[in-house]
Structure formats: structure tokens, C-alpha cells
């Protein structure tokens, strides 16, 4: 059984208030999880069910633009989903967007605990440490979404801004600012912005930190150049909106 780092950081010592996170950055399966094979096709491992396509590059470029630290998971969401509470029934998915995950069909409590202890908890521990480096940390979680789920209508949004009713201080003016720039922006679309026990709930809402979750449609961030372009666009607006809150 080999060591497999649960997360990667970038610019961990940077001074910015911003902390950029990428919960679903990787489609990696550690070799100690069913010999590194979830028993689905490589095509499925390369699509949104296994990770947020383009999110790692976007998060890294955004962190560079903001001179901010970044933390990214280093395991597929299909192994265990770091953006779910430990008691969430979708923590280990057995079916996702029409694809059965054979290696997860008979996962028992002991195996879930193993994945929690080796991947999920180390990632969240490191995220908590980074967030705690400043008293005024602002968390910006980066995700991506597929343009169309199987059998569903195409999703029109370029950007989704997700937020909880418990704290929309940053999200609401960000939505307005992005729409002013001419982007098609979903307000808590294509997903709801609050899931008890998720990363924002755990690291931002509970301790009272400013936060926002940004979803980019993944066909817009397929290449490094696209990721860099969107990072620059987002950084400019994020900085302006945060400065407006402090004024």
C-alpha cells in the first residue's frame, strides 16, 4: 500500500485574504482503492462525474492573480466526495449521471472509514489550517459544471455563483457585478448553494468567514489559456466586490 497525498497546495505562504479551494480538482484513484480502478471506462473517468474538469487550472491561475494560497484535493470525487458531510448518503456515489460505479457498489462502513481517514480528513485538516492563517480569510471555492446532464436540457449559464441563505454578503454583489460585465450568471444555478456539512458550510459558514462558490461551465475552461483568461476575469471582479464590502 503506497502513500498517496490527499491534497496539493500552491502558494501556501502567500499573504492574501483570499483562500482558493478546489474540492473536485482530480480524477485520481489511489492504488489502494480497488487497485486504483473504479471499474468504469476511461471516458467516464475523464468527464465531470469523476472530477470538475478544468477546475484545478482555473483555481491555480486565480490564486496567482490574487497572490493567494490554493488547496486542491488529489482524489476523485467518486472515491469519496470532500464536498459532502461525513454522514451524507452521497459521500460515496454508486450511480452518477447514468454511470454505475461498480467498485463502490459494495463499499462497507470499514472501507468508507478508510477513505475518510486517508483522504477526506487530511484534505479538510489542511484546508482548515490554511483558512486559520488569518482572522479575515475569505474563501472562494472553485468548481465546474457540465454543459448538459444526460437526458436534460442544456445549461445556459457561463458562471454559477452558489451561496447559502446564511451568508450571501459576497455572493449577491458578485452576481450583480458579473452580470454587469455581460456574463450569463446563475444565482444558485445549476445547483443549490447550501448543503449541510459541505466544504463551505464547514470552513466558512460555521466559523463566520466571507465566502463564495463559483462554478464555471467546463467547456469554457478546457485549455490552460482559457483557464488563465477566466481567472483574470474573475480576479478583477472579486477584488472589486471585496473592496466594496470593506468600504
Amino acid at each position: 500500500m503506497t502513500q498517496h497525498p490527499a491534497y496539493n497546495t500552491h502558494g501556501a505562504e502567500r499573504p492574501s485574504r483570499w483562500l482558493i479551494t478546489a474540492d473536485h480538482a482530480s480524477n485520481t484513484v489511489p492504488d489502494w482503492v480497488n487497485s486504483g480502478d473504479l471499474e468504469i471506462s476511461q471516458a467516464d473517468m475523464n468527464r465531470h462525474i469523476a472530477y470538475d474538469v478544468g477546475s484545478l487550472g482555473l483555481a491555480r491561475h486565480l490564486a496567482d492573480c490574487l497572490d493567494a494560497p490554493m488547496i486542491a484535493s488529489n482524489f476523485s470525487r467518486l472515491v469519496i466526495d470532500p464536498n459532502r458531510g461525513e454522514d451524507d448518503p452521497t459521500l460515496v456515489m454508486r450511480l452518477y449521471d447514468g454511470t454505475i460505479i461498480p467498485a463502490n457498489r459494495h463499499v462497507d462502513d470499514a472501507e468508507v472509514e478508510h477513505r475518510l481517514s486517508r483522504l477526506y480528513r487530511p484534505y479538510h485538516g489542511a484546508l482548515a489550517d490554511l483558512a486559520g492563517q488569518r482572522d479575515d480569510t475569505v474563501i472562494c471555492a472553485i468548481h465546474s459544471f457540465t454543459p448538459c446532464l444526460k437526458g436534460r436540457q442544456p445549461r445556459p449559464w457561463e458562471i454559477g455563483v452558489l451561496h447559502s441563505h446564511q451568508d450571501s454578503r459576497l455572493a449577491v454583489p458578485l452576481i450583480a457585478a458579473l452580470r454587469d460585465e455581460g456574463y450569463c450568471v446563475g444565482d444558485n444555478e445549476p445547483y443549490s448553494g447550501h448543503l449541510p456539512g459541505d466544504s463551505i458550510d464547514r470552513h466558512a459558514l460555521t466559523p463566520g468567514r466571507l465566502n463564495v462558490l463559483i462554478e464555471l461551465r467546463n467547456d469554457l475552461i478546457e485549455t490552460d489559456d482559457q483557464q488563465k483568461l477566466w481567472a483574470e476575469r474573475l480576479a478583477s471582479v472579486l477584488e472589486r466586490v471585496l473592496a466594496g464590502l470593506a468600504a
Side-chain angles (χ1 to χ4, degrees):
M1 188 180 294
T2 60
Q3 288 294 110
H4 177 89
Y7 60 89
N8 295 304
T9 60
H10 178 64
E13 303 304 319
R14 288 173 173 169
S16 174
R17 288 184 67 185
W18 293 102
L19 170 58
I20 310 303
T21 68
D23 292 330
H24 298 147
S26 173
N27 61 354
T28 301
V29 181
D31 60 9
W32 49 265
V33 176
N34 203 55
S35 300
D37 185 2
L38 296 178
E39 302 174 32
I40 64 176
S41 69
Q42 191 58 50
D44 273 332
M45 286 302 299
N46 287 335
R47 72 188 188 100
H48 72 99
I49 66 170
Y51 74 126
D52 280 357
V53 178
S55 65
L56 177 59
L58 175 62
R60 182 180 289 266
H61 284 305
L62 181 59
D64 288 342
C65 290
L66 296 171
D67 195 26
M70 183 212 74
I71 184 167
S73 68
N74 190 36
F75 52 93
S76 173
R77 67 195 299 169
L78 295 179
V79 174
I80 194 161
D81 194 332
N83 196 34
R84 297 292 185 272
E86 291 196 17
D87 60 350
D88 192 298
T90 64
L91 183 66
V92 177
M93 292 290 281
R94 291 162 173 80
L95 173 68
Y96 196 173
D97 195 22
T99 297
I100 293 171
I101 318 302
N104 288 344
R105 291 183 72 178
H106 303 295
V107 167
D108 58 15
D109 290 346
E111 176 60 18
V112 173
E113 177 61 30
H114 192 202
R115 297 182 191 185
L116 283 167
S117 64
R118 295 196 65 177
L119 298 171
Y120 178 106
R121 291 176 186 142
Y123 170 71
H124 281 290
L127 199 167
D129 288 344
L130 281 173
Q133 288 183 161
R134 293 184 57 133
D135 293 333
D136 59 351
T137 295
V138 182
I139 294 179
C140 178
I142 294 297
H143 291 256
S144 71
F145 64 94
T146 185
C148 188
L149 292 170
K150 288 184 176 180
R152 305 285 186 88
Q153 292 296 313
R155 292 162 158 174
W157 312 282
E158 296 168 286
I159 309 167
V161 176
L162 277 54
H163 54 101
S164 168
H165 63 281
Q166 296 179 20
D167 184 1
S168 297
R169 290 174 293 170
L170 183 58
V172 168
L174 178 62
I175 291 166
L178 289 168
R179 287 175 174 169
D180 285 346
E181 295 286 325
Y183 302 121
C184 182
V185 182
D187 181 348
N188 275 335
E189 297 285 0
Y191 308 109
S192 169
H194 184 227
L195 189 63
D198 68 7
S199 288
I200 289 292
D201 188 48
R202 181 172 182 163
H203 299 286
L205 296 178
T206 297
R209 296 185 177 111
L210 281 169
N211 67 89
V212 69
L213 190 156
I214 297 175
E215 297 258 5
L216 260 290
R217 207 176 67 218
N218 66 27
D219 62 324
L220 302 176
I221 50 171
E222 293 176 333
T223 69
D224 185 71
D225 284 346
Q226 289 174 316
Q227 293 157 12
K228 185 176 182 181
L229 174 64
W230 276 100
E232 291 168 350
R233 290 170 171 172
L234 290 172
S236 174
V237 181
L238 284 165
E239 288 278 63
R240 189 168 73 248
V241 169
L242 184 60
L245 291 181

